[in-house]
Amino acid sequence: MILETMKLMSRDLRLDRALSLGVLALVLWSVRRARALDNGLAVTPTMGWLHWERFLCNVDCQEEPDSCISEQLFMQMADLMVSDGWKDAGYEYLCIDDCWMAPKRDSKGRLQADPKRFPGGIRRLANYVHSKGLKLGLYGDVGNHTCAGFPGSFGYYDIDAKTFADWGVDLLKFDGCYCDSLKHLADGYKYMSLALNRTGRSIVYSCEWPLYMMPFQKPNYTEIRQYCNHWRNFGDIFDSWQSVKSILEWTSSNQENIVDVAGPGGWNDPDMLVIGNFGLSWDQQVTQMALWAIMAAPLLMSNDLRHISPQAKALLQDKDVIVINQDPLGKQGYRLRKEDNFEVWERPLSGLAWAVAMVNLQEIGGPRSHSISIASLGRGVACNPACLITQLLPVKRELGFYDWTSILKTRVNPTGTVLFRLEETSQTIFKKLPLQDADTL
Ligand code: GAL
């Protein structure tokens, strides 16, 4: 009896200590976050559509009228964003990437849209997009040319910021090609941020500053966050598993430097969602959606909303997963462990909830089981003393109540992910329920 009581006491003490240390760690962790660009935007990661990965720099409207970069393409996408539930799901920014410009500035030095492909100019397109309750994103470059060779903004930052604001642009993706020095790169990104602010228009500022800086110098993320609403760290995404995998690997290998800096107003940008295209299997699409939610990534789809499977659409519009991505606490998740070709990622959420993803990176064989002790999740506080676990992906299932001493076991398809949400519960509710393990497939 005495032994039993001692065991119970020591378990309670362990629970209490873990709980208070965990809470303390969370508090310290929050205090460390750096100051964000104070334009009041991107309080949660930006959601929308961006043309690059799917439509690239197709300017041949003679041969390919349906997939060239033209006002028609964006008007069609705007219509579908509203009629097919994308806007209601949260996808708000319709973004034009490179190749919208005419090859030369106008006589007053202003950028102009290609007159054949955008006969009404960007202003008319912005009006159209706004009339649908959406926002318009546009692309520019900090250097002498855009990556595809159109006019860059170097030497024209004020004029360009003013032009974008006059046109009614709501987001600027500012690329870093053809910049001749690191100083010009940093000064240009900062200058444009201030120039956009001076216009008085609310314009989300999406940067590629760290990506272009990285080969030469370690990025100062505290500074980058003060100027940009999101920033690309890594090369362009392709429509392939190899590409998604390399982005995840880069992110986890660099998480010490990039996770803590993310938060309301400033996010790491692992690039577009390629779900609904050609290169990813169903399981790989699930992995991208789940991990972009864990990483608090901007959700900018690059796909053809005119031709998208119901399954990809349901995944991209999954409310529970979007809720994780958009969680108001705004903390980016991280890889907790990697073992036997399994990765476990987790992300703290508001209301003491946690998201947990188990990824099976083995590319041979069938589904494999993986077990993780509940106590190891969420810095020891995710499920302390008990929690309710819901599997969200690949399909939604209530798994029931777990306690701190139990094991979460699941089966994951090769290159697939199982995504869970853990909700705190009170001990009283838990006491009435039996302990359990679950095989979640
Ligand atoms: C790249 C950029 C891509 C796309 C492209 C346009 O540098 O990373 O996302 O914008 O330029 O030319």
Side-chain angles (χ1 to χ4, degrees):
M1 178 65 184
I2 292 176
L3 194 65
E4 280 303 293
T5 316
M6 277 172 62
K7 261 198 207 156
L8 273 178
M9 275 175 58
S10 71
R11 178 171 175 260
D12 283 353
L13 275 176
R14 261 194 300 133
L15 287 174
D16 281 355
R17 261 188 52 204
L19 188 60
S20 43
L21 284 176
V23 169
L24 185 65
L26 279 175
V27 170
L28 291 175
W29 191 23
S30 313
V31 173
R32 277 185 56 197
R33 187 181 289 162
R35 195 155 53 86
L37 169 59
D38 64 353
N39 61 4
L41 300 170
V43 173
T44 60
T46 304
M47 291 178 68
W49 186 92
L50 175 61
H51 93 241
W52 186 255
E53 192 287 321
R54 179 65 190 254
F55 294 97
L56 297 167
C57 191
N58 187 347
V59 291
D60 189 352
C61 294
Q62 288 294 98
E63 277 296 309
E64 299 186 64
D66 289 338
S67 48
C68 67
I69 308 312
S70 67
E71 74 178 18
Q72 180 194 301
L73 180 72
F74 293 96
M75 287 165 82
Q76 287 179 354
M77 292 305 160
D79 294 347
L80 288 166
M81 278 173 81
V82 177
S83 63
D84 286 5
W86 300 102
K87 177 175 169 251
D88 288 345
Y91 295 93
E92 189 183 14
Y93 286 82
L94 176 63
C95 304
I96 307 173
D97 207 289
D98 204 348
C99 305
W100 62 270
M101 296 174 197
K104 292 227 168 340
R105 291 175 176 270
D106 72 9
S107 57
K108 293 189 173 136
R110 288 174 305 202
L111 290 171
Q112 45 189 349
D114 182 282
K116 284 220 175 65
R117 293 181 287 119
F118 293 85
I122 301 299
R123 193 200 301 266
R124 191 176 77 183
L125 183 56
N127 288 343
Y128 185 78
V129 167
H130 294 155
S131 75
K132 299 261 154 190
L134 298 167
K135 298 199 153 89
L136 185 75
L138 197 60
Y139 170 98
D141 190 286
V142 72
N144 293 306
H145 307 283
T146 73
C147 298
F150 291 87
S153 293
F154 184 73
Y156 293 89
Y157 298 132
D158 284 309
I159 281 201
D160 290 354
K162 186 167 179 322
T163 308
F164 299 148
D166 288 347
W167 286 343
V169 166
D170 305 293
L171 176 149
L172 176 66
K173 171 173 173 176
F174 212 38
D175 212 334
C177 273
Y178 300 107
C179 196
D180 51 18
S181 71
L182 267 186
K183 180 166 163 41
H184 282 163
L185 185 83
D187 289 351
Y189 270 108
K190 292 190 219 170
Y191 195 99
M192 193 53 154
S193 177
L194 300 173
L196 290 172
N197 264 2
R198 278 195 297 270
T199 67
R201 186 171 175 85
S202 292
I203 301 178
V204 172
Y205 187 41
S206 165
C207 302
E208 299 199 31
W209 180 1
L211 165 61
Y212 286 91
M213 189 174 183
M214 208 111 45
F216 311 101
Q217 202 176 301
K218 201 172 162 210
N220 177 346
Y221 283 103
T222 314
E223 185 178 40
I224 289 168
R225 181 178 163 80
Q226 282 165 23
Y227 290 94
C228 301
N229 291 120
H230 23 100
W231 48 85
R232 286 266 309 279
N233 296 312
F234 192 69
D236 293 0
I237 195 161
F238 280 50
D239 187 12
S240 75
W241 173 239
Q242 173 56 36
S243 173
V244 170
K245 204 169 51 170
S246 65
I247 293 173
L248 293 177
E249 186 50 39
W250 186 89
T251 304
S252 49
S253 316
N254 290 277
Q255 59 190 14
E256 275 75 25
N257 300 327
I258 65 167
V259 165
D260 282 355
V261 81
W267 311 97
N268 290 292
D269 177 5
D271 213 359
M272 294 157 268
L273 291 168
V274 293
I275 296 166
N277 290 324
F278 307 97
L280 300 187
S281 71
W282 166 245
D283 286 291
Q284 293 159 2
Q285 294 178 65
V286 167
T287 295
Q288 193 185 26
M289 193 67 192
L291 271 293
W292 263 235
I294 294 273
M295 292 189 291
L299 297 182
L300 293 167
M301 306 178 282
S302 194
N303 48 19
D304 189 343
L305 301 178
R306 298 165 300 188
H307 308 284
I308 187 162
S309 72
Q311 201 183 22
K313 183 176 166 198
L315 177 61
L316 286 161
Q317 294 191 1
D318 189 311
K319 286 200 173 52
D320 297 310
V321 183
I322 291 174
V323 162
I324 291 178
N325 175 270
Q326 297 285 300
D327 185 81
L329 188 61
K331 289 200 172 296
Q332 180 173 339
Y334 47 85
R335 187 172 72 186
L336 177 66
R337 72 173 202 201
K338 182 177 175 139
E339 186 185 281
D340 185 25
N341 261 324
F342 269 106
E343 291 190 357
V344 179
W345 292 61
E346 62 178 19
R347 175 178 175 187
L349 304 170
S350 53
L352 300 177
W354 287 76
V356 173
M358 289 194 199
V359 193
N360 176 5
L361 289 171
Q362 186 159 292
E363 295 175 22
I364 188 168
R368 290 192 308 146
S369 292
H370 190 63
S371 297
I372 185 153
S373 82
I374 292 281
S376 69
L377 295 173
R379 296 167 197 258
V381 294
C383 194
N384 191 340
C387 64
L388 177 63
I389 304 189
T390 310
Q391 176 184 300
L392 300 179
L393 290 175
V395 285
K396 186 169 182 180
R397 285 203 310 150
E398 297 290 347
L399 301 184
F401 290 90
Y402 283 68
D403 94 336
W404 202 65
T405 60
S406 53
I407 302 287
L408 178 63
K409 184 178 173 198
T410 192
R411 279 166 75 76
V412 195
N413 291 343
T415 67
T417 294
V418 177
L419 178 68
F420 303 97
R421 184 182 175 97
L422 280 58
E423 302 278 354
E424 273 288 318
T425 58
S426 79
Q427 211 161 357
T428 336
I429 302 172
F430 164 69
K431 269 183 182 157
K432 294 185 188 140
L433 291 145
L435 283 186
Q436 56 176 303
D437 289 351
D439 200 335
T440 54
L441 272 194

